Amino acid sequence: MKKLLYLVTIPLSARAFLWGQLQHFSQHGYDVHLASSPAPRDELLTVAHREGVQAHFVPLAREISLKHDVLALADTWKLLRQLKPSVTNVGTPKAGLIGGMAATLSGVPARVYTLHGLRLETVQGPKRHLLVWMERLACACAHRVVCVSPSLQKRAVELKLVPAAKTLVLGSGTSNGVSVERYLPSATMLQQAGELGMMLGLSPDALTVGFVGRFVKDKGIAELLGAFEQLYAVNSRLRLLLLGDYEEGDPVPAELRQTIETHPGVIWAGFVADPAPYYQLMNVLALPTYREGFPTVPLEAAAAGKPVVATNATGAMDAVVDGVTGFTVPVGDTEALTDALRRLLNDKALAVQFGHAGQERVLREFQPQHVWEAMDRLYQDLLAEARTRKGQHLKRAVDVVVAGVGLAVLGLPMLALGGVVRLKLGSPILFSQKRPGLHAQPFIMHKFRTMRDAVDSHGQPLPDSERMTPLGRFLRASSMDELPGLFNVLRGDMSLVGPRPLLMEYLDRYTPEQARRHEVRPGITGWAQVNGRNAIAWDEKFRLDVWYVENRSLALDLKILWTTVQKVFKREGISAAGEATMPKFMGTPSNET
């Protein structure tokens, strides 16, 4: 059974981001574990018990503290060494860094960092530089960085926190999707909402703007209260329903706190475990945030049939389709926020229209099952890649050993052969040329020279057949011209076995399928070489190269090496019919212009 460990900084993040997901993987072939800081301890145990997974405590702290962070890294590393998970999924900034480093040090085969947002976007000075460094390190430790929204992915790449190729967004985004059924305005839900309204002192005819989240500056509390006070001055029936609580990090100013606690139109319900019935008390949800990853609250409100006004901040812009499910306004623009709220409070038909559109969007794009299935596919892909990486490490070790031993044994014969080439063909002894290697990155390939420097009256090289010498034919037939390639193998430019490195000019002529030959290091010999070498057509050669890429293994490499020895003695496939070697590749018919 595959062992999967999720690590978040605080237990509340597990409830917010992983509700239902842990249980899903536990029921689908994974041995699931959840780890976070122990405060509040009961919260983590509650989540773990509900999800049916094992809980573990590590001393993570949200704020930066070198001493505590070093201890947390040591404890997390010990936990990983004990559990030996196949997959780790770390999320939230501190867990992403500490968990990612510990997983890398422990050699976890498949490492995922779920990027929930960028705290650094609203921080300046030395702390911002530190946060940038932390994010880059967390991303570097992961095999894949799951960005919870398209705009977050774009921003992370723009800030050079992570290469674009390493990132992905699962479906349309979000950390965990939204279960629409929890928020639909059923008869039971409406009755519960009515009872809550009476308890909070909300009259049935009140117009209510809702907010769900932490009371911090980054959530736009100042702009929200400013917009509300402008609207309240015109309509004293208006109410602002706040669900959430203050936090010490990024605290709101004292005067805003006083407004929240004393304004007659503000209803502060505090932190609530289940906000679902409260959405039915709102006419519109406001989220004037400065930064997000992909806020779940707007999707919950949309699932409840409520329109949303959010900012165009990173992440928040993905939660609302402007003019369809609500409005987006510029970050920090109190007047734009006021106007958008006023329009939805005054135009009930438009509010209903946006609410229905939001509901349909959540149903269509943000079902939790879709997120979980996409995550499962990612885990499977990463585990397959891990198996490939393990094979590549072994392959590289074999390359180094064989190339090293080969150069040691053949060093003197190669020097003697070089002398013969110098005597018969002149300088240089080696033919050196730029060729495409792994991922088509260029390198300088070396072979013993086999042709004369012969040109026509215009200074152009003569055809290969006229420049090839008897010595050159012998070297090619015996493959002795390839011996200097052992230096390329030792350097890591090439492998003993792989698709032959061809000319740089061919790169633009390959089809996407043919270009897959560059997914592995090129080789001194390969599957195409032992199945026809230069005697087969280009299309067949490329088909054999791609087959090798898809089916490579140590056993196959050993088979190719042994067959190569046999082919060398038989001198098969040295050249194409009518050619000294192989005609130039001009592209497949569908690829030619």
Side-chain angles (χ1 to χ4, degrees):
M1 181 179 288
K2 301 176 290 289
K3 190 172 289 186
L4 169 61
L5 173 67
Y6 283 87
L7 179 69
V8 291
T9 306
I10 60 174
L12 289 176
S13 296
R15 178 184 288 273
F17 300 138
L18 302 173
W19 198 258
Q21 185 175 149
L22 303 174
Q23 185 179 64
H24 169 84
F25 283 106
S26 183
Q27 294 173 348
H28 286 79
Y30 290 83
D31 176 14
V32 184
H33 297 254
L34 172 64
S36 85
S37 64
R41 184 183 184 90
D42 290 344
E43 178 68 23
L44 182 67
L45 294 175
T46 298
V47 173
H49 177 73
R50 181 194 178 279
E51 300 287 314
V53 303
Q54 295 186 51
H56 306 271
F57 299 102
V58 288
L60 295 170
R62 294 184 69 179
E63 297 304 318
I64 299 171
S65 170
L66 182 60
K67 177 182 177 181
H68 288 96
D69 292 343
V70 169
L71 292 174
L73 177 60
D75 284 358
T76 305
W77 178 78
K78 290 177 184 176
L79 175 64
L80 291 171
R81 295 292 293 174
Q82 172 191 340
L83 293 178
K84 293 182 173 58
S86 304
V87 184
T88 52
N89 188 328
V90 297
T92 65
K94 187 60 71 69
L97 177 63
I98 299 298
M101 292 173 64
T104 301
L105 293 171
S106 303
V108 175
R111 303 187 295 273
V112 175
Y113 174 32
T114 300
L115 186 60
H116 292 287
L118 294 172
R119 185 180 178 188
L120 60 89
E121 283 195 292
T122 54
V123 176
Q124 299 299 325
K127 188 173 182 180
R128 178 184 174 89
H129 293 298
L130 178 59
L131 291 174
V132 167
W133 177 84
M134 289 172 62
E135 286 292 355
R136 285 177 178 164
L137 182 55
C139 291
C141 289
H143 293 118
R144 290 291 191 284
V145 177
V146 175
C147 303
V148 297
S149 69
S151 62
L152 179 62
Q153 180 187 40
K154 179 181 178 182
R155 187 64 174 145
V157 173
E158 286 176 347
L159 293 172
K160 299 181 180 180
L161 304 177
V162 58
K166 201 174 189 178
T167 66
L168 74 159
V169 178
L170 302 180
S172 297
T174 80
S175 305
N176 201 36
V178 172
S179 298
V180 177
E181 297 75 14
R182 286 185 59 195
Y183 302 96
L184 291 175
S186 63
T188 303
M189 179 75 72
L190 292 174
Q191 180 181 350
Q192 187 178 0
E195 293 171 355
L196 286 172
M198 292 179 60
M199 185 176 65
L200 294 171
L202 272 172
S203 63
D205 63 339
L207 291 174
T208 305
V209 175
F211 172 86
V212 182
R214 297 174 294 120
F215 295 177
V216 293
K217 283 191 251 183
D218 277 3
K219 290 294 184 182
I221 290 293
E223 290 78 10
L224 176 62
L225 290 174
F228 170 72
E229 288 181 317
Q230 289 187 47
L231 295 169
Y232 183 83
V234 177
N235 182 359
S236 61
R237 293 189 301 112
L238 183 64
R239 296 292 180 266
L240 177 61
L241 176 58
L242 302 176
L243 306 184
D245 211 340
Y246 303 100
E247 285 195 3
E248 292 182 6
D250 189 33
V252 297
E255 60 271 20
L256 293 182
R257 183 163 185 159
Q258 184 177 8
T259 300
I260 291 172
E261 296 172 5
T262 62
H263 194 291
V266 176
I267 299 174
W268 175 25
F271 174 81
V272 296
D274 182 13
Y278 290 86
Y279 289 117
Q280 299 305 323
L281 300 174
M282 304 174 188
N283 295 91
V284 57
L285 176 85
L287 185 65
T289 183
Y290 294 2
R291 64 172 179 87
E292 295 288 338
F294 194 128
T296 303
V297 167
L299 296 184
E300 293 175 349
K306 303 300 176 180
V308 178
V309 177
T311 59
N312 58 1
T314 302
M317 65 174 68
D318 301 286
V320 178
V321 181
D322 189 37
V324 177
T325 67
F327 292 121
T328 57
V329 299
V331 175
D333 193 333
T334 302
E335 295 304 318
L337 177 63
T338 304
D339 291 342
L341 291 173
R342 181 186 294 114
R343 185 175 175 186
L344 288 171
L345 291 169
N346 292 340
D347 192 339
K348 293 184 178 180
L350 183 63
V352 170
Q353 176 186 324
F354 284 0
H356 286 163
Q359 244 177 12
E360 291 173 0
R361 182 178 182 234
V362 175
L363 278 167
R364 183 177 63 252
E365 300 181 27
F366 299 106
Q367 293 281 19
Q369 194 72 22
H370 298 164
V371 177
W372 302 339
E373 290 172 356
M375 188 70 78
D376 193 10
R377 289 192 294 272
L378 173 61
Y379 293 160
Q380 299 296 338
D381 289 345
L382 288 177
L383 288 171
E385 288 180 16
R387 290 189 290 270
T388 299
R389 283 195 301 272
K390 185 176 181 180
Q392 289 173 342
H393 293 326
L394 181 58
K395 179 182 175 73
R396 179 65 186 145
V398 172
D399 283 344
V400 170
V401 170
V402 173
V405 172
L407 288 170
V409 172
L410 299 173
L412 289 177
M414 286 174 65
L415 285 174
L417 185 56
V420 174
V421 172
R422 174 69 176 81
L423 181 65
K424 295 290 186 180
L425 299 177
S427 295
I429 295 172
L430 296 179
F431 170 77
S432 300
Q433 190 178 55
K434 186 183 292 186
R435 297 288 178 95
L438 179 65
H439 304 313
Q441 293 301 305
F443 73 99
I444 303 300
M445 185 191 74
H446 303 289
K447 300 171 64 174
F448 277 125
R449 185 179 176 196
T450 59
M451 295 187 186
R452 296 182 296 116
D453 290 328
V455 297
D456 60 20
S457 59
H458 300 289
Q460 297 298 315
L462 293 175
D464 289 353
S465 57
E466 297 183 35
R467 293 190 298 128
M468 184 70 70
T469 64
L471 174 62
R473 288 192 178 90
F474 168 75
L475 293 177
R476 292 206 173 200
S478 62
S479 292
M480 293 175 67
D481 62 324
E482 301 286 355
L483 289 177
L486 292 174
F487 287 105
N488 289 118
V489 173
L490 203 60
R491 282 167 47 89
D493 300 325
M494 296 177 64
S495 176
L496 294 171
V497 179
R500 285 291 297 163
L502 302 175
L503 299 178
M504 294 295 295
E505 65 190 73
Y506 293 174
L507 289 177
D508 293 335
R509 301 172 187 172
Y510 295 139
T511 66
E513 180 70 7
Q514 291 168 348
R516 293 193 58 201
R517 67 194 310 277
H518 295 296
E519 292 178 12
V520 298
R521 284 188 178 90
I524 290 180
T525 185
W527 188 237
Q529 276 59 51
V530 300
N531 283 281
R533 197 175 175 181
N534 291 329
I536 58 177
W538 281 113
D539 286 349
E540 177 64 10
K541 185 189 294 284
F542 293 144
R543 187 189 67 79
L544 292 169
D545 286 341
V546 173
W547 184 91
Y548 172 79
V549 169
E550 294 177 341
N551 296 274
R552 62 191 185 275
S553 67
L554 180 60
L556 179 60
D557 283 2
L558 294 175
K559 176 181 178 180
I560 291 171
L561 289 171
W562 173 244
T563 308
T564 298
V565 173
Q566 295 177 307
K567 294 284 184 181
V568 167
F569 281 108
K570 293 179 182 179
R571 300 191 178 186
E572 294 179 354
I574 299 169
S575 61
E579 301 283 346
T581 53
M582 187 77 182
K584 280 195 172 185
F585 174 62
M586 302 308 296
T588 59
S590 60
N591 220 32
E592 293 177 330
T593 57

